[in-house]
Amino acid sequence: MNILLPTTITPGMFGAGTSIPAVDASMGEVLWVSGTSYAVKDRRVWEGYTYECVKAAPNNTTPPSSTAGAEFWLRDEGAPTNRMAPFDEYLFTKARRATSLTYVLNPGFVTGLAIYGIEADTLDVRVRAGPGGADLVPPVHLDLWQQAFGEWEYLFGNLQRATSYTLKDLPLHPAAEVTITLSRNNAGVEAAVGYISVGQWSRLIAPMGRISAVVQGAEASTKSYAYYRENTDGTFVRRRGRQSTNMTLSCVIDADQANAAKTLLDRILDQTVAIEASGLPRFGYLSTVGSVTGTVRADSSATASVALQIKGNV
């Protein structure tokens, strides 16, 4: 089982090749400026988020994110800036760009990444030893169209695009530069991504060196946040809503790993993390982004078990 301990992305980590500006005027973003008068419902961006004016602010000099600024500004939790959208806790807030978008990140020591909520035809990932440096791993180029389940689906089915990707086992480097590019086959079509996380993958390994520690019975379930109302005449109103993937799974580990497993659960408590039951493609459905809670139990002198509940984020 794999859990990605995320590195917090700060403004200073974006490289020059990032194609989405800090304030994206093409998406209607306007930067908050000190000393300007603002009216109720004016929207401005500041430190990666959109704020809405809730009280008239003549000659406003208090930044929206400050304690004093809270009198005049309310942060819209569902409206990060276009650049920062993949780095909040939600998948539905997406960075968008016509034809292609590129992120160049300089996060320091990382061993992998996870990308979810992809809307694109191809994905390219390059990890180098600093800006312009040598490749730490071979560059990745993926066609995101999924493989057909069988001949009929290949010939007649409505093939879908993959919406997630993970990369592991990157060699450690103090100045690693990660470049992620999502592209469309047709110019002008919008490419988008909802979640990007870089950090350190942590693994729970089964006893006796087996690859996966997850036992039978792991499950993934889809939760819908749609609106539904049934009328007295039998008709109904349904509005599609956001969706998330919840998971429950358990795994058996060596007893010597129990302390490390408990420490891992403590570290990720109240954080949003990417988690996957296995790196094998056939278990791809057992992966999500969300909040993890769990227990570690001593089964015997040789083994321990970890039971996890993952509440997926929308």
Side-chain angles (χ1 to χ4, degrees), residues 164-219:
S164 63
Y165 173 77
T166 60
L167 180 64
K168 304 179 186 68
D169 299 323
L170 296 177
L172 288 174
H173 192 280
E177 180 183 76
V178 180
T179 301
I180 299 166
T181 300
L182 293 162
S183 304
R184 289 293 197 178
N185 292 335
N186 299 318
V189 178
E190 190 176 75
V193 59
Y195 181 83
I196 298 174
S197 180
V198 295
Q200 291 78 43
W201 282 102
S202 181
R203 286 189 173 98
L204 296 180
I205 306 296
M208 306 301 293
R210 286 175 293 172
I211 294 175
S212 177
V214 177
V215 299
Q216 292 182 349
E219 63 179 24

Coordinates of all heavy atoms in Angstrom, one line a residue, residues 164-219:
S164 N -5.9 9.9 -13.8 CA -5.0 9.9 -12.7 C -3.7 9.3 -13.2 O -3.6 8.5 -14.1 CB -5.5 9.3 -11.5 OG -5.7 7.9 -11.7
Y165 N -2.6 9.6 -12.5 CA -1.3 9.1 -12.7 C -0.4 9.3 -11.5 O -0.5 10.3 -10.8 CB -0.6 9.8 -13.9 CG 0.8 9.4 -14.2 CD1 1.1 8.2 -14.8 CD2 1.9 10.2 -13.8 CE1 2.4 7.8 -15.0 CE2 3.2 9.8 -14.0 CZ 3.5 8.6 -14.6 OH 4.8 8.2 -14.8
T166 N 0.4 8.2 -11.2 CA 1.4 8.3 -10.1 C 2.7 7.9 -10.6 O 2.9 7.0 -11.5 CB 0.9 7.4 -8.9 OG1 0.9 6.1 -9.3 CG2 -0.4 7.9 -8.3
L167 N 3.8 8.5 -10.0 CA 5.2 8.2 -10.3 C 5.9 8.0 -9.0 O 5.8 8.8 -8.1 CB 5.8 9.3 -11.1 CG 7.3 9.1 -11.5 CD1 7.4 7.9 -12.4 CD2 7.8 10.4 -12.2
K168 N 6.7 6.9 -8.9 CA 7.4 6.5 -7.7 C 8.8 6.3 -7.9 O 9.3 6.2 -9.0 CB 6.7 5.3 -7.1 CG 5.2 5.3 -6.8 CD 4.7 4.0 -6.2 CE 3.2 4.1 -6.1 NZ 2.6 4.1 -7.5
D169 N 9.5 6.1 -6.8 CA 10.9 5.7 -6.8 C 11.9 6.7 -7.5 O 12.8 6.3 -8.1 CB 11.1 4.3 -7.4 CG 10.3 3.3 -6.6 OD1 10.3 3.4 -5.3 OD2 9.7 2.4 -7.2
L170 N 11.6 8.0 -7.3 CA 12.5 9.0 -7.9 C 13.8 9.0 -7.0 O 13.7 9.0 -5.8 CB 11.9 10.4 -7.9 CG 10.6 10.6 -8.8 CD1 10.1 12.0 -8.6 CD2 11.0 10.3 -10.2
P171 N 14.9 9.1 -7.6 CA 16.2 9.3 -6.8 C 16.2 10.6 -6.1 O 15.7 11.6 -6.7 CB 17.3 9.2 -7.9 CG 16.6 9.5 -9.2 CD 15.2 9.1 -9.1
L172 N 16.7 10.6 -4.9 CA 16.7 11.8 -4.1 C 17.7 12.8 -4.7 O 18.8 12.5 -5.0 CB 17.0 11.5 -2.6 CG 15.9 10.8 -1.8 CD1 16.4 10.5 -0.5 CD2 14.7 11.7 -1.7
H173 N 17.2 14.1 -4.8 CA 18.1 15.2 -5.2 C 17.7 16.4 -4.5 O 16.5 16.7 -4.5 CB 18.1 15.3 -6.7 CG 19.1 16.2 -7.3 ND1 19.0 17.6 -7.2 CD2 20.3 15.9 -7.9 CE1 20.1 18.1 -7.8 NE2 20.9 17.1 -8.2
P174 N 18.6 17.2 -4.0 CA 18.2 18.4 -3.2 C 17.6 19.5 -4.0 O 16.9 20.4 -3.5 CB 19.5 18.9 -2.6 CG 20.6 18.4 -3.5 CD 20.1 17.1 -4.0
A175 N 17.7 19.5 -5.4 CA 17.2 20.5 -6.2 C 16.4 20.0 -7.3 O 16.4 20.5 -8.4 CB 18.3 21.4 -6.7
A176 N 15.7 18.9 -7.1 CA 14.9 18.2 -8.2 C 13.9 19.2 -8.8 O 13.2 20.0 -8.1 CB 14.1 17.0 -7.6
E177 N 13.8 19.2 -10.1 CA 12.9 20.0 -10.8 C 11.9 19.1 -11.6 O 12.3 18.2 -12.3 CB 13.6 20.9 -11.9 CG 12.6 21.8 -12.7 CD 13.3 22.6 -13.7 OE1 13.7 22.0 -14.8 OE2 13.5 23.8 -13.5
V178 N 10.6 19.3 -11.3 CA 9.6 18.4 -11.8 C 8.8 19.2 -12.8 O 8.2 20.3 -12.5 CB 8.6 17.9 -10.7 CG1 7.5 17.0 -11.3 CG2 9.4 17.1 -9.7
T179 N 8.7 18.8 -14.1 CA 7.9 19.4 -15.1 C 6.8 18.5 -15.5 O 7.0 17.4 -15.9 CB 8.8 19.8 -16.3 OG1 9.9 20.6 -15.9 CG2 8.0 20.5 -17.4
I180 N 5.6 19.1 -15.4 CA 4.3 18.3 -15.8 C 3.6 19.1 -16.9 O 3.3 20.3 -16.7 CB 3.4 18.2 -14.6 CG1 4.1 17.4 -13.4 CG2 2.1 17.5 -14.9 CD1 3.4 17.5 -12.1
T181 N 3.3 18.4 -18.0 CA 2.6 19.0 -19.1 C 1.5 18.2 -19.5 O 1.6 17.0 -19.8 CB 3.6 19.3 -20.3 OG1 4.6 20.1 -20.0 CG2 2.8 19.9 -21.5
L182 N 0.3 18.8 -19.6 CA -0.9 18.1 -20.0 C -1.4 18.8 -21.3 O -1.4 20.0 -21.4 CB -2.0 18.2 -19.0 CG -1.8 17.5 -17.7 CD1 -2.7 18.0 -16.6 CD2 -2.0 16.0 -17.9
S183 N -1.6 18.0 -22.3 CA -1.9 18.5 -23.7 C -3.2 17.9 -24.3 O -3.5 16.8 -24.0 CB -0.7 18.3 -24.6 OG 0.5 18.8 -24.1
R184 N -3.8 18.7 -25.2 CA -4.9 18.2 -26.0 C -4.4 18.0 -27.4 O -3.4 18.6 -27.9 CB -6.0 19.3 -26.0 CG -6.7 19.4 -24.7 CD -7.5 18.2 -24.4 NE -8.6 18.5 -23.4 CZ -9.4 17.6 -23.0 NH1 -9.4 16.4 -23.4 NH2 -10.3 17.9 -22.1
N185 N -5.1 17.0 -28.1 CA -4.7 16.7 -29.5 C -5.1 17.8 -30.4 O -4.5 18.0 -31.5 CB -5.3 15.4 -29.9 CG -4.7 14.2 -29.2 OD1 -3.6 14.3 -28.7 ND2 -5.5 13.1 -29.0
N186 N -6.2 18.5 -30.1 CA -6.7 19.6 -30.9 C -6.5 21.0 -30.3 O -6.8 21.2 -29.1 CB -8.2 19.4 -31.2 CG -8.5 18.1 -31.9 OD1 -7.8 17.7 -32.8 ND2 -9.5 17.4 -31.5
A187 N -5.9 21.9 -31.1 CA -5.6 23.2 -30.6 C -6.9 23.9 -30.1 O -8.0 23.8 -30.8 CB -4.9 24.1 -31.6
G188 N -6.8 24.6 -29.0 CA -8.0 25.4 -28.5 C -8.8 24.6 -27.5 O -9.6 25.2 -26.8
V189 N -8.7 23.3 -27.5 CA -9.5 22.5 -26.5 C -8.8 22.6 -25.2 O -7.6 22.6 -25.0 CB -9.6 21.0 -27.0 CG1 -10.3 20.2 -25.9 CG2 -10.2 20.9 -28.3
E190 N -9.6 22.8 -24.1 CA -9.1 23.1 -22.8 C -8.5 21.8 -22.1 O -9.1 20.8 -22.1 CB -10.2 23.6 -21.9 CG -9.8 24.2 -20.6 CD -11.0 24.8 -19.8 OE1 -11.8 24.0 -19.3 OE2 -11.1 26.0 -19.8
A191 N -7.3 22.0 -21.6 CA -6.7 21.0 -20.8 C -6.8 21.4 -19.3 O -6.8 22.6 -19.0 CB -5.2 20.8 -21.1
A192 N -7.0 20.4 -18.4 CA -7.3 20.8 -17.0 C -6.7 19.7 -16.1 O -6.5 18.6 -16.5 CB -8.8 21.0 -16.8
V193 N -6.4 20.1 -14.8 CA -6.0 19.2 -13.8 C -6.5 19.7 -12.5 O -6.4 20.8 -12.2 CB -4.5 19.0 -13.8 CG1 -3.8 20.3 -13.6 CG2 -4.0 18.0 -12.8
G194 N -7.0 18.7 -11.6 CA -7.6 19.1 -10.4 C -6.7 18.9 -9.1 O -6.9 19.6 -8.1
Y195 N -5.7 18.0 -9.2 CA -4.9 17.8 -8.0 C -3.5 17.3 -8.4 O -3.3 16.4 -9.2 CB -5.5 16.7 -7.2 CG -4.8 16.3 -5.9 CD1 -5.0 17.0 -4.8 CD2 -3.9 15.2 -5.9 CE1 -4.3 16.7 -3.6 CE2 -3.3 14.9 -4.7 CZ -3.5 15.6 -3.5 OH -2.8 15.3 -2.4
I196 N -2.5 18.0 -7.9 CA -1.1 17.6 -8.1 C -0.4 17.6 -6.8 O -0.5 18.6 -6.0 CB -0.3 18.6 -9.1 CG1 -0.9 18.6 -10.5 CG2 1.2 18.3 -9.1 CD1 -0.3 19.7 -11.4
S197 N 0.2 16.5 -6.4 CA 1.0 16.4 -5.2 C 2.3 15.8 -5.4 O 2.5 14.8 -6.2 CB 0.2 15.5 -4.2 OG 0.9 15.4 -3.0
V198 N 3.4 16.4 -4.9 CA 4.7 15.9 -4.9 C 5.2 15.7 -3.5 O 4.8 16.5 -2.6 CB 5.7 16.8 -5.7 CG1 5.3 16.9 -7.2 CG2 5.7 18.2 -5.1
G199 N 6.0 14.7 -3.3 CA 6.4 14.4 -1.9 C 7.1 13.1 -1.8 O 7.8 12.6 -2.7
Q200 N 6.9 12.5 -0.6 CA 7.6 11.2 -0.3 C 6.6 10.1 -0.2 O 5.7 10.2 0.6 CB 8.4 11.3 1.0 CG 9.7 12.2 0.9 CD 9.3 13.6 1.0 OE1 8.5 14.0 1.8 NE2 9.9 14.5 0.2
W201 N 6.7 9.1 -1.1 CA 5.8 7.9 -0.9 C 6.2 7.1 0.3 O 7.4 6.8 0.5 CB 5.9 7.0 -2.2 CG 5.1 7.6 -3.4 CD1 5.6 8.2 -4.4 CD2 3.7 7.5 -3.6 NE1 4.6 8.6 -5.3 CE2 3.4 8.1 -4.8 CE3 2.7 7.0 -2.8 CZ2 2.1 8.3 -5.3 CZ3 1.4 7.1 -3.3 CH2 1.1 7.7 -4.5
S202 N 5.3 6.6 1.0 CA 5.5 5.7 2.1 C 4.8 4.4 1.8 O 3.6 4.4 1.4 CB 5.0 6.3 3.5 OG 5.2 5.5 4.5
R203 N 5.4 3.3 2.0 CA 4.9 2.0 1.7 C 4.7 1.1 2.9 O 5.5 1.1 3.8 CB 5.8 1.3 0.7 CG 5.8 1.8 -0.7 CD 6.5 0.8 -1.6 NE 6.4 1.2 -3.0 CZ 7.3 1.9 -3.7 NH1 8.4 2.3 -3.1 NH2 7.2 2.2 -5.0
L204 N 3.6 0.4 3.0 CA 3.4 -0.6 3.9 C 3.5 -2.0 3.2 O 2.8 -2.3 2.3 CB 2.0 -0.5 4.6 CG 1.7 0.7 5.4 CD1 0.3 0.7 5.9 CD2 2.7 0.9 6.5
I205 N 4.5 -2.7 3.6 CA 4.9 -3.9 2.9 C 4.4 -5.2 3.7 O 4.5 -5.2 4.9 CB 6.4 -4.0 2.7 CG1 6.9 -2.7 2.0 CG2 6.8 -5.2 1.9 CD1 6.4 -2.5 0.6
A206 N 4.0 -6.2 2.9 CA 3.5 -7.4 3.5 C 4.7 -8.2 4.1 O 5.8 -8.0 3.6 CB 2.8 -8.2 2.5
P207 N 4.5 -9.0 5.1 CA 5.5 -9.9 5.6 C 6.1 -10.8 4.5 O 5.5 -11.0 3.5 CB 4.8 -10.7 6.7 CG 3.6 -9.9 7.1 CD 3.2 -9.2 5.8
M208 N 7.3 -11.2 4.7 CA 8.0 -12.1 3.8 C 8.3 -11.5 2.4 O 8.5 -12.2 1.4 CB 7.1 -13.4 3.5 CG 6.8 -14.2 4.8 SD 8.2 -14.7 5.8 CE 8.9 -15.9 4.7
G209 N 8.3 -10.1 2.4 CA 8.7 -9.4 1.2 C 7.7 -9.4 0.1 O 8.0 -9.0 -1.0
R210 N 6.4 -9.8 0.3 CA 5.4 -9.7 -0.8 C 5.2 -8.2 -1.1 O 5.3 -7.4 -0.2 CB 4.2 -10.4 -0.4 CG 4.3 -11.9 -0.4 CD 3.0 -12.6 0.1 NE 2.8 -12.3 1.6 CZ 1.7 -12.7 2.2 NH1 0.7 -13.2 1.6 NH2 1.6 -12.4 3.5
I211 N 4.8 -8.0 -2.3 CA 4.7 -6.6 -2.8 C 3.6 -5.8 -2.1 O 3.8 -4.7 -1.6 CB 4.6 -6.5 -4.3 CG1 5.8 -7.1 -5.0 CG2 4.3 -5.1 -4.8 CD1 5.7 -7.2 -6.5
S212 N 2.4 -6.4 -2.1 CA 1.3 -5.7 -1.5 C 0.9 -6.2 -0.2 O 0.8 -7.4 0.0 CB 0.1 -5.8 -2.5 OG -1.1 -5.2 -1.9
A213 N 0.6 -5.3 0.8 CA 0.2 -5.7 2.1 C -1.3 -5.8 2.2 O -1.8 -6.2 3.3 CB 0.8 -4.7 3.1
V214 N -2.0 -5.3 1.2 CA -3.5 -5.2 1.3 C -4.1 -6.6 1.2 O -3.8 -7.4 0.3 CB -4.0 -4.3 0.2 CG1 -5.6 -4.3 0.3 CG2 -3.5 -2.9 0.4
V215 N -5.1 -6.9 2.1 CA -5.7 -8.2 2.1 C -7.0 -8.1 1.3 O -7.5 -7.1 1.0 CB -6.0 -8.7 3.6 CG1 -4.7 -8.8 4.3 CG2 -6.9 -7.7 4.3
Q216 N -7.6 -9.3 1.1 CA -8.8 -9.4 0.3 C -9.9 -8.6 1.1 O -10.0 -8.6 2.3 CB -9.3 -10.8 0.1 CG -8.4 -11.6 -0.8 CD -8.8 -13.0 -1.1 OE1 -9.7 -13.5 -0.4 NE2 -8.3 -13.7 -2.0
G217 N -10.9 -8.1 0.3 CA -12.0 -7.3 0.9 C -11.8 -5.8 0.8 O -12.8 -5.1 1.2
A218 N -10.7 -5.3 0.3 CA -10.6 -3.9 0.0 C -11.7 -3.4 -0.9 O -12.0 -4.1 -1.9 CB -9.2 -3.6 -0.5
E219 N -12.2 -2.3 -0.7 CA -13.3 -1.8 -1.6 C -13.3 -0.3 -1.8 O -12.8 0.4 -0.9 CB -14.7 -2.2 -1.1 CG -15.1 -1.6 0.3 CD -16.4 -2.0 0.8 OE1 -16.9 -3.1 0.3 OE2 -17.1 -1.3 1.5

